[in-house]
Amino acid sequence: MENNSNPVGLKNIILVASGKGGVGKSTVTNNLAISLAKRGLKVGILDADIYGPSQPRMLGINNEKPSSGKNGKINTIEKYGIRCMSIGLLIDEKRPIVWRGPMVHGALEQLIKDVNWGELDMLLVDMPPGTGDIHLTLSQKFFISGAIIVSTPQDIALIDAQKGLNMFKKVNVPIIGIIENMSFFLCPNCNERHEIFGNGGAKETANNLKETFLGEIPLYTEIRIKSDNGEPIIEKNNDQINKYFFKITDEVEKFLKENSAI
């Protein structure tokens, strides 16, 4: 494969990234993927966090093993209308990955090129935290339609998010926008909003950088419970929460349509 070209069938590759861990990026990724699939789009998820894959458990497919296709490539696992591939589906989830950089890069390329993704409107890549080699490898080897930055409202998270955003700009990856996760605590009993981590920092950062603010997602107990149980919240008819994901979905669709990507 030549640099900056995608396997046949992958129309768009979108990176979902954060400058640091613990901001809920994986939860955002799978709920956004399912929300996009509900719009009739063909969507896949690549779990690119080789050292700490979480999508198999969050999607409830951690006990499934991919099969091999007739072409020798690995078949994805399908759940909730999306296709998924992760190193966590190929090894025991309790087994640590003790690989040096070149092995990680090779595995990541295989998870894209040697997988039967089929025809997808978009492949969402759940990126590892930071701004390391995996980010550079993907941007150099494949054509990336855009990147989504996930942050929390705290200053320290926003500083790291800006580093990630600027890194993508340096390698000419378009920025789709910024999401503020855990934007506020939504009490499940009284429905009151409590801004325990502050609020609005990601929106202010997006405005200062002249980037799109995609939306906010509350800190809500049911999101965590459903993720731990392999049942993304977007699958439940919880209008109180799903409306936040649907707003972000609208913004992502708008970006892709404006750039003739779907």
Side-chain angles (χ1 to χ4, degrees):
M1 179 187 300
E2 297 179 359
N3 286 358
N4 296 110
S5 62
N6 298 340
V8 175
L10 293 188
K11 194 170 182 181
N12 296 284
I13 296 179
I14 296 173
L15 309 182
V16 184
S18 60
K20 67 190 301 296
V23 300
K25 169 183 50 59
S26 296
T27 302
V28 171
T29 300
N30 61 49
N31 280 285
L32 177 58
I34 296 169
S35 179
L36 287 161
K38 288 179 179 291
R39 302 286 176 89
L41 298 171
K42 296 177 181 178
V43 185
I45 291 178
L46 169 63
D47 189 348
D49 194 345
I50 300 296
Y51 294 114
S54 55
Q55 290 298 341
R57 181 163 290 274
M58 286 185 165
L59 292 170
I61 57 176
N62 50 303
N63 292 322
E64 300 188 38
K65 294 297 178 185
S67 60
S68 295
K70 293 180 180 179
N71 57 0
K73 294 186 176 183
I74 304 170
N75 293 324
T76 57
I77 300 294
E78 297 189 35
K79 189 77 176 283
Y80 302 120
I82 59 175
R83 298 183 175 192
C84 180
M85 181 49 59
S86 167
I87 195 70
L89 294 170
L90 304 174
I91 63 170
D92 188 303
E93 69 175 348
K94 295 180 181 178
R95 174 186 165 191
I97 299 290
V98 188
W99 291 348
R100 293 187 183 274
M103 292 181 67
V104 173
H105 300 162
L108 185 61
E109 280 196 65
Q110 285 187 296
L111 288 176
I112 295 181
K113 296 191 294 184
D114 295 339
V115 169
N116 286 321
W117 290 106
E119 298 288 333
L120 292 182
D121 292 306
M122 67 192 72
L123 177 66
L124 295 185
V125 183
D126 182 9
M127 298 293 289
T131 56
D133 288 348
I134 287 181
H135 302 69
L136 293 175
T137 296
L138 284 173
S139 62
Q140 291 170 354
K141 294 288 185 179
F142 303 100
F143 178 78
I144 308 300
S145 298
I148 295 170
I149 308 298
V150 180
S151 182
T152 51
Q154 302 100 311
D155 288 345
I156 190 66
L158 288 165
I159 290 170
D160 289 335
Q162 289 182 63
K163 290 179 183 178
L165 188 149
N166 288 328
M167 183 273 296
F168 285 125
K169 283 187 172 181
K170 283 188 176 182
V171 293
N172 298 316
V173 172
I175 305 300
I176 297 176
I178 302 175
I179 295 171
E180 183 169 282
N181 194 30
M182 307 181 201
S183 185
F184 55 91
F185 172 65
L186 187 61
C187 177
N189 297 318
C190 65
N191 293 326
E192 285 192 14
R193 173 174 173 150
H194 304 274
E195 297 175 352
I196 56 177
F197 297 138
N199 176 261
K203 185 174 184 179
E204 182 179 353
T205 298
N207 290 336
N208 290 340
L209 296 174
K210 295 181 171 55
E211 300 292 347
T212 301
F213 179 64
L214 298 176
E216 59 185 13
I217 300 170
L219 180 64
Y220 187 65
T221 306
E222 197 71 8
I223 295 177
R224 192 271 304 167
I225 293 173
K226 294 299 182 185
S227 292
D228 287 348
N229 291 336
E231 302 172 338
I233 191 75
I234 200 74
E235 270 295 296
K236 307 301 174 184
N237 293 321
N238 189 330
D239 294 335
Q240 186 180 32
I241 296 300
N242 288 1
K243 64 182 180 182
Y244 296 102
F245 287 106
F246 291 150
K247 179 186 182 300
I248 294 168
T249 302
D250 290 340
E251 293 292 334
V252 174
E253 274 196 295
K254 178 182 177 183
F255 172 89
L256 293 171
K257 288 177 180 177
E258 287 178 349
N259 289 275
S260 301
I262 56 172

